[in-house]
DNA sequence: TGACTTTACGGTTATCGTAAAGATG
DNA sequence: CATCTTTACGATAACCGTAAAGTCA
């Protein structure tokens, strides 16, 4: 079922003669006649019949004609679609991210549904395999670790790392906590591979401080749950839960922050779409957490804004 | 946009490697690799990318894949449809017929909608050009004249030729009229080219009789209208109108009858469908006018059945 | 080394256009 | 005889398969 032959069929049916159709298709008339016969032999139908020195379409040809047109239109649509893809269009963006980011950032963004957002398909991905996902079936990877250099990447935002305490906790009064104050408490932390742990390690090392922890938890929400149970102060960067109060952690370098990255392959077919999505993510995070989380700026610690955190 | 290349694309995407897909497609592996690159060059997209010695589909390929499948399915559907046509299927039957037959036979048949009737498209056609219509865009021609010998043909029925008189006319009492009785009256007839005129000419010539007429009318309904106005006795074969009473005309050979033919090209792709439609027409006419109109049988004149004529 | 893809090359097939022949009014 | 279709034929281009080379765990 060669589409070219189908095109010949439609052209002859429209033009009313092989000669006329051959001119429109820029082929010689015998060539077109042969292609018609080739099609007839291929599909086992007589499509035209000579009458008065002309060709007239047969009943079988009349039956086939609209289907042939439809198929050719479908082929043209696929061609046009391919051109759109080549021009950078994209139907749906597949995003890979750790569960926490998926839960705290991507799902809320999808729920907010900004107007320019392409359809997103998000998939949870272990931190270790995160940036390899763009070599597979992910268009974009969003994570807290710095992506490898061979990927195109953007810093989406610098999210505050915070201490989470019950509302009646002594630290809750100030609205923030210094690193020095923090290490006097038992810290409830996620596992070592979580990026938040590395940020904390670097900050305490720079300050010459040491913190106490009863070992890592499997995930940030579990650490928060233990904090709510009064077992210590949780350190994390996600949304508060269990009625806990989040306190920005102040270091000598300013508020402790955790960067959020988006990364994609340099040879992705729609880099501008992905960069645009990264911009949407940044805009969303700024809208949600305030302008001071913007990747390129450094502001002072804002007053704690509990309302906008929900 | 060669469908074969699209098939290669889908096969490789499904098989996961060129080598595996090549085996399924019964082509050599380098050939398939080349076809993939040909497709990529043709549509301007990179569909696969090497990773760890394998090929993995790119985001562009992932976007294109479902469209390619759809198009290939459409091509398969067209191929299947062509096979159905070749096997004698037909979507709609185009029927050409004179206006009178279209009105008296085909339209009522469509309205009756017997279960096995294919969709009909009926088109009025002058009597002279009727049987040429099957060389054009008509599948079937239905008419009263004998079709040319080069067409496949069936006699659908032999419809009674009748005299139409007002209910208070003297002839109306008997329920039928002999040819001898008939020629005593002024006859209102359609034009010379109407087949009914030729039937009457033959019958009177055989009987050695001569009839009087005030000239032909453009169509049978106009002749009937004049009969209703009391200007004479109309002779026709269609449905009664204007409150006229139809009287079978009895000749020495029995009731005067007019055959109804269906004809189609001998090389039509679905002769069985057309023959079946002819059978439906015969069945409908028998159901409507009685078994004595059946083409192969000769019965005596039935009692006038005014009820079933409406 | 093994599995896979790509490149190179010889040979076959398909397809094209020109030119001539057949068919029809 | 003018128009259209079909057939014939030589030449070009496309395509395939085998074989070799390249690439990556």
């Amino acid at each position: 079922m060669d589409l070219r032959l189908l095109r010949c069929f439609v052209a002859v049916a429209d033009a009313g003669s092989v000669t006329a159709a051959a001119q429109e298709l820029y082929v010689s008339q015998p060539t077109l006649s042969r292609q018609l016969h080739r099609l007839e032999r291929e599909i086992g139908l007589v499509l035209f019949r000579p009458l008065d020195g002309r060709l007239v379409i047969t009943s079988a040809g009349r039956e086939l004609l609209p289907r042939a047109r439809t198929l050719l239109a479908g082929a043209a649509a696929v061609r046009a679609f391919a051109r759109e893809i080549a021009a950078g269009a994209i139907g749906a963006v597949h995003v890979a991210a750790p569960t926490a980011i998926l839960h705290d950032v991507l799902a809320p963004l999808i729920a907010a549904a900004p107007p320019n957002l392409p359809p997103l398909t998000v998939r949870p991905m272990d931190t270790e395999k995160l940036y390899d996902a763009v070599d597979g079936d992910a268009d974009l990877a969003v994570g807290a670790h710095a992506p490898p250099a061979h990927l195109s990447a953007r810093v989406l935002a610098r999210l505050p790392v915070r201490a989470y305490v019950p509302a009646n906790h002594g630290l809750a009064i100030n609205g923030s906590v210094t690193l020095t104050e923090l290490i006097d408490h038992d810290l409830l932390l996620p596992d070592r591979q979580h990026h938040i742990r590395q940020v904390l390690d670097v900050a305490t090392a720079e300050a010459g401080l040491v913190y106490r922890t009863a070992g890592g938890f499997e995930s940030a929400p579990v650490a928060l749950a233990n904090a709510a149970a009064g077992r210590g102060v949780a350190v994390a960067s996600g949304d508060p839960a269990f009625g806990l109060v989040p306190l920005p952690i102040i270091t000598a370098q300013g508020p402790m922050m955790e960067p959020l990255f988006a990364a994609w392959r340099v040879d992705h077919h729609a880099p501008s779409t992905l960069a645009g999505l990264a911009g949407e993510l940044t805009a969303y995070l700024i809208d949600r957490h305030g302008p001071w989380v913007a990747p390129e700026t450094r502001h002072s610690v804002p007053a704690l804004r509990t309302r906008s955190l929900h």
Side-chain angles (χ1 to χ4, degrees), chain A:
Chain A
M1 180 69 70
D2 192 341
L3 289 183
R4 206 169 27 133
L5 301 185
L6 234 48
R7 234 181 301 276
C8 292
F9 166 48
V10 172
V12 171
D14 286 342
S17 83
V18 175
T19 303
Q23 293 176 353
E24 294 182 8
L25 294 177
Y26 300 104
V27 294
S28 75
Q29 183 275 330
T31 295
L32 187 49
S33 179
R34 236 172 327 183
Q35 286 173 334
L36 268 187
H37 289 146
R38 205 177 302 159
L39 177 62
E40 289 185 336
R41 183 161 35 84
E42 183 179 331
I43 66 180
L45 292 176
V46 178
L47 300 173
F48 295 96
R49 170 167 35 82
L51 175 69
D52 297 351
R54 292 288 190 121
L55 289 188
V56 296
I57 195 166
T58 63
S59 52
R62 220 167 21 246
E63 296 275 342
L64 190 66
L65 187 54
R67 311 275 184 139
R69 284 192 210 277
T70 302
L71 188 63
L72 289 176
V78 170
R79 215 164 19 238
F81 183 71
R83 269 196 300 273
E84 282 183 25
I85 296 177
I90 193 166
V93 180
H94 292 58
V95 183
T99 311
I101 291 172
L102 195 156
H103 184 271
D104 289 346
V105 178
L106 295 174
L109 174 70
I110 292 171
N116 293 332
L117 194 72
L120 295 189
T121 306
V122 295
R123 198 151 56 84
M125 180 65 62
D126 292 346
T127 304
E128 312 87 61
K129 296 184 265 177
L130 178 65
Y131 293 115
D132 292 333
V134 297
D135 294 332
D137 59 1
D139 297 299
L140 192 78
V142 176
H145 290 79
H150 68 268
L151 296 183
S152 297
R154 293 274 180 97
V155 177
L156 297 178
R158 300 182 184 278
L159 297 180
V161 176
R162 298 179 294 199
Y164 294 79
V165 296
N168 58 358
H169 194 282
L171 288 177
I173 299 170
N174 289 351
S176 67
V177 59
T178 64
L179 191 57
T180 313
E181 293 169 343
L182 186 66
I183 60 168
D184 288 336
H185 298 79
D186 288 326
L187 298 190
L188 309 173
L189 298 166
D191 280 336
R192 288 235 164 248
Q193 71 267 22
H194 278 75
H195 187 254
I196 197 89
R197 190 75 168 256
Q198 300 170 21
V199 171
L200 186 64
D201 287 347
V202 169
T204 52
E206 283 183 350
L209 302 174
V210 177
Y211 60 85
R212 305 195 306 269
T213 176
F217 293 97
E218 180 262 337
S219 70
V222 177
L224 265 62
N226 279 275
R231 299 209 175 88
V233 178
V235 176
S237 62
D239 295 335
F242 311 120
L244 295 172
V245 175
L247 308 171
I249 302 171
I250 310 302
T251 72
Q253 285 73 38
M256 185 181 296
M257 302 221 265
E258 175 190 57
L260 195 63
F261 298 94
W264 59 90
R265 288 184 60 90
V266 293
D267 59 357
H268 192 281
H269 79 273
S272 60
T273 300
L274 300 183
L277 174 57
E280 290 287 338
L281 276 162
T282 294
Y284 171 73
L285 291 168
I286 288 175
D287 182 56
R288 186 155 183 247
H289 295 284
W292 68 295
V293 305
E296 69 281 1
T297 62
R298 289 295 178 101
H299 292 285
S300 57
V301 193
L304 186 61
R305 296 167 54 202
T306 316
R307 284 189 309 280
S308 66
L309 289 171
H310 285 276

